[in-house]
Amino acid sequence: MTQTYPISAATPTVAPRPDRAHDILQCDRDALNAIFSPQTVAVIGASEKHNSVGRSLLWNLIRSPFGGTVFPVNPKRRNILGVRAYADIAAVPEPVDLAVIATPAPTVPGIIAQCADAGVKGAIVISAGFKETGEAGIALEREILNEARRGKMRVIGPNCLGVMSPLSGLNATFANTTARPGNVGFISQSGALCTAVLDWSLQDNVGFSAFISIGSMLDVGWGDLIYHLGDDPATQSIVIYMESIGDARAFLSAAREVALTKPIVVLKAGRTEVAAQAAASHTGTLAGSDDVLDAAFRRCGVLRVHRIEDLFNMAEILAKQPRPRGKRLTVLTNAGGPGVLATDSTITSGGQLATLAPETLEKLDTFLPPNWSHSNPIDILGDADSDRYAKALKVAATDPNSDGLLVILTPQAMTDPTQTAKKIAQTIAELQPELEHKPILASWMGGADVAAGEAILNDAQIYTFPYPDSAARAFNLMWQYSKNLRSLYETPTLARDVASSNRERDIADRIIGAVRRRGCTLLSEWESKQVLEAYGIPTVTTHLATTEEEAIAAADAIGYPVVLKLHSETITHKTDVGGVQLNLPDAEAAREAYRTIQAAVPPQDFAGVTVQPMVKLDGYELILGSSIDPQFGPVLLFGTGGQLVEIFKDRALGLPPLNTTLARRMMKRTQIYSALTGVRGRSAVDLAALEQLLVRFSQLVVERPEIREIDINPLLASADGLLALDGRIILHEPEVDPLPRPAIRPYPSQYVSSWTMSDETPAIVRPIRPEDEPLVVKFHETLSEESVYFRYFHLMKLQARISHDRLTRICFIDYDREIALVAETHDPQTDESEILGICRLSRLAGTREAEFGMLVNDRFQGRGVGTQLLRQLLEVARQEQLTLVRAEILSDNRAMQHLCEKLGFQLARSGCEVMARYEL
């Protein structure tokens, strides 16, 4: 539940509840509870026909002890499987939470309409024959969705297997068996894969907290289910088999929040072009670039795997073991061969072996035989007993150069697998908390001889593998996941002058408007550079010339040598048609170049030339661009540029908007980055300036949705600076509506406003941003212990309440999920800013309702800060089209009650609390 913050140190606003900055549980308000925890279920299409879906659904629900009542619905039967049946949903004598529908596709819209009229809260549509069949199926889905929204119902499917909640016993599927209870939430877009995974899980004793076939995602999508499982205390990790992304923004929004507390592991089908086409025809959706999908998963902290075995291995490992801080693995083994296999797998999948510290080598020498390996892998030889294993593990685990350990055992005469497993488990228990950030994996090689030892290790939360190369690969997936998740929440530096001004917007509007009026979508190079310059991206001096004489005059003014380039409203790649003439030393050469370019293209494609100075290419040619992905909207590209950009293919992809940290991460994923840092005596490029340029470029992309493609190639980067030598912008066709939007919502700058405090101190109220973390740290330092207690409900040490872990939840927010406003003042003499207060609006998942909370600096209480923040927060709620804002206030908190009353909240007492509601 979202917390309300105190505006006075002496007046708490809510009863003690878990701190939302760490706790995202909202189970009592989850709109999907009617589907996953129903008390009454109607099976519409129930049947007694053997091998029918309707019979299997009803039988699975009847025999499952989920604690609810099942109502068969079939107009042709009075009883089904001995249970009274009803003609339609309206005839059912009790309110129905969940309707499970297995009737022909054309009948489903009418059934959903009846369910909406009857007040049914959720539905699972098992039926097939919808959008995967073409336009007629799409029309049916549209009808279903309209009726469901009318009745405020949530719908899973259509074309799905159904849903299981193994912990409660609910089995609303037509599968032959029921999943075992456990802690893994499994979601699959393929019903057939669900049944295969179900059979495998029963054989391997894998349990689930939820087992969900999502179907074609007419209504409930990935985002809804990730939020639901994220809020489910029984779910420790989330596993997804995905064929299409659906609502990309909803998926990324949910994953970015939930991945902080629960690992999300995805197996995405359709990596190759042929497979992608097959997946598209199966799900009726258009597949996008697989590289873009990788970039999206990195952006939201999801771990992508490419094997089914890795899918469940990683889900269990990440739920049991800590995430490593780095990629250095220590291997402990009693045989050389398996150690070599583990080494090869570690290196080839991106990790590295830890270099043993000198003190580690000295300690191992004191008890290991003289001919032990004296390096990593630590080969303690084939006669190693359980005590030798335990001693070696204790030393290796505390090595400062190691980020994780893999213990390998091969059955040999002197090595007892069961006894060694007991010793290993005992040693690891004794080493806590030294192993807080060091995962321990094991490979007990063999069959029946090692089974008992494997069981002991698994009971001790130590994941075991049959082969060491698989274990090493799993460790690499762990550190890559950990690194990616950690990098998402590295506090960025504030990019200078990133937010565009009205002047910049006006320049871009004027240029793009002129192109539209010509009936064109292609901006000329000259127009493109004007747009780039408006967003603070430096470009080479460019003059437009429509005649020979104008070209010579421009060249004379610039100074030789010069470059002439084709100016055209129709041709995008000038080099391909001979439209670029370089290094022209004098006027005669410039005149000849003009004529050459003019003769190279048809008259209708020639609109003149641009004249530029010949820039000495003493630097690196980069490319910076953006194009539209059908699933994720605008996608950014950075890498090695120049004429051979398609040949080298050294590039990294990312989703806008960027901050400086994300920009640097994107740069580091390219080969050219190593050269940019300075190699072979060449000075390094100003990487901080390059970061800023990428951030400004991403701002241009998100603010100009009418741009379909844009690239700067080459962007010249050297120790002397950055310079866009060429630019190209292509607009969407005028009829494109709506325009593609970014998959991640950009900073909502429309909510920035100026304000003057009651004592005439100027201030700004604006949405919070990741770069605010240092200011939020200082803000928390100003709070009295009483304020901290009333906000967080228990006394916390300063370091705990300003830890980076906590502040990621305050500053790194998804603006689709919540918006926090800060009131800020700036001292021009010291050039320092200070946060006066924070007010947060948190949307309740699956609804148009939100809870608000507020916290004000003790020194600024009573000066109108709380009133202004809450007033502007309500305006934000209106703009976000919310219908209700609410909070819970302690009954003795008169100040907060007075503030809410003043701003139009309705107050109602409920026990020791006052419920504040504001309807919009």
Side-chain angles (χ1 to χ4, degrees):
M1 178 180 295
T2 301
Q3 303 306 315
T4 10
Y5 300 75
I7 61 171
S8 166
T11 50
T13 58
V14 294
R17 298 180 187 274
D19 176 14
R20 184 175 171 78
H22 283 303
D23 181 44
I24 57 175
L25 300 181
Q26 301 178 62
C27 298
D28 58 329
R29 292 190 175 91
D30 192 331
L32 299 184
N33 276 346
I35 295 176
F36 290 95
S37 303
Q39 294 303 305
T40 49
V41 181
V43 181
I44 303 176
S47 170
E48 280 196 349
K49 182 180 179 181
H50 284 284
N51 298 319
S52 68
V53 172
R55 187 182 195 280
S56 297
L57 285 168
L58 181 61
W59 177 244
N60 283 343
L61 284 163
I62 291 173
R63 70 175 181 170
S64 301
F66 72 98
T69 306
V70 182
F71 300 98
V73 175
N74 187 323
K76 298 179 181 179
R77 305 276 308 199
R78 298 187 62 183
N79 294 279
I80 301 175
L81 299 182
V83 181
R84 180 181 176 182
Y86 299 87
D88 53 38
I89 194 70
V92 175
E94 295 183 29
V96 173
D97 294 328
L98 172 64
V100 185
I101 302 170
T103 62
T107 68
V108 176
I111 291 172
I112 292 292
Q114 295 172 11
C115 290
D117 293 338
V120 176
K121 300 172 184 176
I124 301 172
V125 179
I126 305 294
S127 316
F130 293 92
K131 71 179 177 183
E132 71 273 11
T133 65
E135 289 297 324
I138 292 174
L140 287 176
E141 287 195 0
R142 193 178 301 117
E143 293 180 48
I144 293 172
L145 190 58
N146 288 338
E147 293 297 336
R149 286 177 174 168
R150 177 177 65 84
K152 297 183 178 181
M153 294 174 59
R154 301 308 309 271
V155 178
I156 286 181
N159 193 12
C160 68
L161 179 73
V163 168
M164 297 184 198
S165 293
L167 294 171
S168 68
L170 176 72
N171 184 357
T173 75
F174 59 92
N176 293 327
T177 54
T178 301
R180 296 181 187 274
N183 55 30
V184 175
F186 176 60
I187 316 170
S188 173
Q189 208 164 2
S190 166
L193 187 73
C194 279
T195 57
V197 167
L198 185 58
D199 288 344
W200 164 82
S201 69
L202 295 172
Q203 179 180 343
D204 281 29
N205 199 28
V206 175
F208 300 92
S209 57
F211 195 89
I212 306 162
S213 171
I214 196 172
S216 55
M217 300 186 294
L218 163 67
D219 173 36
V220 175
W222 301 117
D224 299 296
L225 294 174
I226 289 171
Y227 276 131
H228 174 80
L229 296 176
D231 289 344
D232 176 18
T235 299
Q236 294 184 14
S237 57
I238 300 171
V239 168
I240 293 173
Y241 170 78
M242 177 185 291
E243 292 179 350
S244 63
I245 194 71
D247 187 339
R249 182 174 276 194
F251 171 81
L252 294 175
S253 177
R256 287 172 69 197
E257 178 171 343
V258 173
L260 274 174
T261 53
K262 296 181 182 182
I264 302 174
V265 187
V266 175
L267 174 63
K268 169 63 172 68
R271 295 178 62 196
T272 63
E273 184 176 354
V274 173
Q277 292 172 353
S281 66
H282 178 60
T283 61
T285 56
L286 180 62
S289 164
D290 195 63
D291 291 336
V292 176
L293 193 70
D294 279 338
F297 286 162
R298 280 194 300 269
R299 185 65 183 269
C300 64
V302 164
L303 174 63
R304 183 181 189 181
V305 297
H306 302 299
R307 306 180 186 186
I308 291 180
E309 65 172 315
D310 288 338
L311 189 68
F312 289 95
N313 283 347
M314 296 314 300
E316 189 168 352
I317 293 169
L318 290 169
K320 287 181 175 180
Q321 288 289 319
R323 299 167 189 168
R325 287 178 167 170
K327 59 181 179 180
R328 303 167 300 177
L329 178 65
T330 299
V331 178
L332 177 64
T333 179
N334 68 339
V340 173
L341 289 174
T343 299
D344 285 345
S345 181
T346 300
I347 303 303
T348 56
S349 57
Q352 67 182 56
L353 288 183
T355 301
L356 299 180
E359 58 270 26
T360 299
L361 292 169
E362 292 176 5
K363 291 177 182 177
L364 291 172
D365 272 336
T366 62
F367 61 86
L368 290 181
N371 54 341
W372 75 278
S373 61
H374 292 87
S375 64
N376 184 17
I378 303 173
D379 185 352
I380 60 175
L381 305 181
D383 61 350
D385 59 11
S386 59
D387 287 335
R388 189 186 298 174
Y389 258 102
K391 289 179 181 179
L393 175 61
K394 185 173 294 186
V395 173
T398 55
D399 188 304
N401 296 337
S402 176
D403 299 308
L405 289 96
L406 168 59
V407 183
I408 303 171
L409 179 142
T410 60
Q412 299 189 35
M414 298 294 293
T415 306
D416 183 338
T418 305
Q419 183 61 29
T420 302
K422 291 179 180 178
K423 281 281 189 177
I424 293 291
Q426 180 182 346
T427 302
I428 290 174
E430 294 171 354
L431 287 172
Q432 300 298 336
E434 288 88 344
L435 297 178
E436 182 181 1
H437 297 287
K438 288 187 181 182
I440 308 291
L441 305 178
S443 176
W444 253 227
M445 300 179 67
D449 289 344
V450 302
E454 282 184 321
I456 292 169
L457 293 172
N458 288 328
D459 288 343
Q461 304 295 298
I462 303 164
Y463 200 86
T464 60
F465 293 83
Y467 307 111
D469 52 342
S470 299
R473 187 176 69 248
F475 172 78
N476 280 343
L477 288 172
M478 290 180 75
W479 77 255
Q480 289 166 4
Y481 172 75
S482 180
K483 174 187 174 184
N484 182 43
L485 195 61
R486 189 168 58 246
S487 69
L488 292 178
Y489 297 97
E490 290 180 5
T491 304
T493 57
L494 185 61
R496 300 182 299 273
D497 303 323
V498 169
S500 60
S501 65
N502 290 332
R503 173 183 171 276
E504 292 165 344
R505 293 191 185 98
D506 289 345
I507 292 172
D509 286 341
R510 175 173 54 80
I511 295 170
I512 292 173
V515 175
R516 288 291 196 204
R517 286 189 293 274
R518 294 199 306 262
C520 298
T521 58
L522 174 67
L523 275 67
S524 68
E525 179 190 359
W526 181 72
E527 291 166 329
S528 297
K529 286 181 176 177
Q530 285 187 299
V531 174
L532 294 175
E533 286 182 343
Y535 279 83
I537 297 172
T539 63
V540 65
T541 302
T542 302
H543 294 276
L544 179 62
T546 57
T547 67
E548 277 187 38
E549 298 309 317
E550 287 180 2
I552 301 307
D556 290 341
I558 291 173
Y560 297 94
V562 295
V563 176
L564 265 63
K565 297 181 181 180
L566 171 66
H567 177 65
S568 175
E569 297 174 359
T570 56
I571 296 176
T572 60
H573 296 290
K574 298 177 285 295
T575 303
D576 294 347
V577 297
V580 178
Q581 299 291 312
L582 303 172
N583 205 26
L584 306 173
D586 51 37
E588 186 59 32
R591 189 180 303 278
E592 182 62 28
Y594 185 96
R595 295 172 181 173
T596 300
I597 293 173
Q598 186 175 26
V601 298
Q604 66 269 21
D605 295 329
F606 181 80
V609 299
T610 58
V611 185
Q612 306 168 19
M614 181 67 194
V615 177
K616 184 180 180 182
L617 297 179
D618 186 17
Y620 300 99
E621 290 185 296
L622 307 176
I623 184 171
L624 181 57
S626 174
S627 59
I628 302 299
D629 179 83
Q631 296 177 124
F632 293 95
V635 177
L636 302 175
L637 176 146
F638 171 84
T640 301
Q643 294 184 7
L644 300 180
V645 61
E646 288 89 359
I647 303 300
F648 291 126
K649 294 184 179 179
D650 173 33
R651 85 288 189 277
L653 302 181
L655 300 184
L658 299 179
N659 56 39
T660 55
T661 296
L662 294 171
R664 179 67 67 101
R665 291 288 176 186
M666 191 171 168
M667 290 155 54
K668 283 184 174 181
R669 290 198 299 274
T670 63
Q671 297 295 318
I672 193 68
Y673 178 80
S674 297
L676 299 178
T677 61
V679 292
R680 295 187 176 180
R682 301 184 68 171
S683 299
V685 170
D686 186 343
L687 294 175
L690 186 55
E691 285 176 5
Q692 303 272 340
L693 189 146
L694 263 66
V695 173
R696 287 195 293 272
F697 184 82
S698 80
Q699 188 73 13
L700 187 165
V701 169
V702 297
E703 285 193 355
R704 311 307 314 192
E706 62 268 48
I707 293 177
R708 177 164 62 90
E709 292 182 30
I710 176 174
D711 65 56
I712 305 170
N713 183 26
L715 172 65
L716 186 63
S718 69
D720 297 327
L722 305 169
L723 193 63
L725 300 185
D726 203 352
R728 182 178 67 102
I729 296 177
I730 301 176
L731 306 178
H732 289 283
E733 297 291 342
E735 58 270 19
V736 174
D737 184 33
L739 293 169
R741 65 176 186 172
I744 296 175
R745 183 175 177 178
Y747 183 78
S749 56
Q750 69 269 29
Y751 298 137
V752 178
S753 63
S754 300
W755 169 62
T756 302
M757 296 172 59
S758 58
D759 60 359
E760 304 302 318
T761 300
I764 292 176
V765 176
R766 58 169 177 79
I768 203 167
R769 58 197 176 201
E771 294 88 346
D772 287 325
E773 184 177 336
L775 291 179
V776 174
V777 170
K778 293 181 180 179
F779 171 74
H780 278 72
E781 290 173 348
T782 69
L783 302 176
S784 66
E785 291 297 337
E786 284 184 306
S787 288
V788 173
Y789 176 78
F790 290 139
R791 164 61 183 95
Y792 300 118
F793 315 121
H794 52 86
L795 291 175
M796 300 174 62
K797 294 182 180 179
L798 175 64
Q799 199 58 39
R801 69 178 189 249
I802 64 174
S803 68
H804 176 70
D805 235 18
R806 165 177 291 278
L807 294 181
T808 56
R809 283 307 184 93
I810 296 176
C811 302
F812 293 76
I813 64 175
D814 187 296
Y815 299 115
D816 269 335
R817 174 73 165 168
E818 57 184 343
I819 292 179
L821 299 179
V822 298
E824 175 191 27
T825 60
H826 182 77
D827 188 338
Q829 294 184 341
T830 63
D831 195 30
E832 292 185 354
S833 297
E834 182 177 14
I835 289 179
L836 315 178
I838 303 174
C839 195
R840 184 175 300 268
L841 186 71
S842 299
R843 186 191 298 263
L844 300 175
T847 74
R848 294 174 62 191
E849 301 177 2
E851 295 180 335
F852 84 87
M854 187 163 60
L855 179 61
V856 174
N857 184 320
D858 285 61
R859 293 188 295 109
F860 291 93
Q861 293 177 12
R863 295 165 68 176
V865 175
T867 301
Q868 184 65 23
L869 279 172
L870 187 51
R871 180 180 289 121
Q872 290 195 210
L873 200 71
L874 292 175
E875 182 57 33
V876 168
R878 291 188 185 92
Q879 296 296 322
E880 297 293 309
Q881 299 184 334
L882 297 178
T883 58
L884 178 69
V885 176
R886 64 190 183 202
E888 300 173 8
I889 310 171
L890 283 183
S891 58
D892 59 353
N893 187 356
R894 308 298 182 192
M896 193 62 183
Q897 294 172 38
H898 174 71
L899 172 58
C900 288
E901 280 186 315
K902 183 172 70 172
L903 294 182
F905 280 79
Q906 297 177 341
L907 303 184
R909 182 176 295 276
S910 177
C912 64
E913 297 176 344
V914 173
M915 310 302 294
R917 295 169 53 90
Y918 190 99
E919 296 185 6
L920 296 114

